[in-house]
Amino acid sequence: MMGLCFGSVNAYAAADKDIVDTAVAAGQFKTLAAALGAAGLVDTLKGKGPFTVFAPTDAAFAKLPAGTIDTLLKPENKGALTAILTYHVVAGKVPAATVVKLTEAKTVNGASVTVKVVGGTVMINDAQVTTADIMTSNGVIHVIDTVLMPPKM
């Protein structure tokens, strides 16, 4: 079973942890965890939910232009950071079997992401879902390889 997850997250063991604890335990979402803390969203994503999170890995954040993350983590940029992070969250629990039937999904940010399947690969805007259906106690995580930017940014 570990091979299916490529060592990223033990999907079968995550269901007893919330979204934040699951992401932290995975070890590949350090930047996301820091950003959630800076934006004051940790308690929300530890809450009842359910939520669906399209979670960018540390490698996804590393693809942003140099200095972007440091700038966003500054207190004066909390609004922009919150807008970006909430663009990665959909209210409700949306497993992959449902995601692939959608053409778009409205995010907590208020803007929608586009959903398409290209050659068996699920794309959320320009981000590829690399691991789907990591079930948590308060929702589901789908791992993506690119940070999603809201249309107003």
Side-chain angles (χ1 to χ4, degrees):
M1 188 139 203
M2 286 292 286
L4 294 174
C5 297
F6 304 105
S8 60
V9 177
N10 296 335
Y12 60 89
D16 62 339
K17 293 182 180 171
D18 62 48
I19 288 169
V20 175
D21 291 345
T22 300
V24 168
Q28 64 177 349
F29 303 105
K30 292 179 179 77
T31 307
L32 178 60
L36 290 170
L41 294 172
V42 170
D43 287 344
T44 301
L45 289 178
K46 287 178 85 54
K48 185 176 177 183
F51 304 104
T52 298
V53 177
F54 297 107
T57 61
D58 292 335
F61 277 101
K63 293 192 316 189
L64 292 172
T68 302
I69 296 165
D70 291 336
T71 299
L72 286 170
L73 292 177
K74 292 180 179 174
E76 63 268 23
N77 295 319
K78 183 177 179 179
L81 180 61
T82 301
I84 292 167
L85 294 173
T86 56
Y87 191 60
H88 290 78
V89 181
V90 173
K93 190 172 189 174
V94 188
T98 303
V99 171
V100 298
K101 296 175 186 171
L102 302 174
T103 55
E104 68 176 26
K106 187 171 182 175
T107 68
V108 174
N109 165 297
S112 293
V113 291
T114 58
V115 180
K116 59 185 179 267
V117 181
V118 180
T121 300
V122 178
M123 303 294 292
I124 307 299
N125 290 355
D126 294 326
Q128 179 180 332
V129 176
T130 58
T131 305
D133 286 343
I134 300 167
M135 298 300 171
T136 70
S137 63
N138 64 342
V140 61
I141 299 170
H142 302 299
V143 181
I144 56 175
D145 68 352
T146 304
V147 176
L148 305 172
M149 288 296 175
K152 293 179 181 127
M153 300 196 82

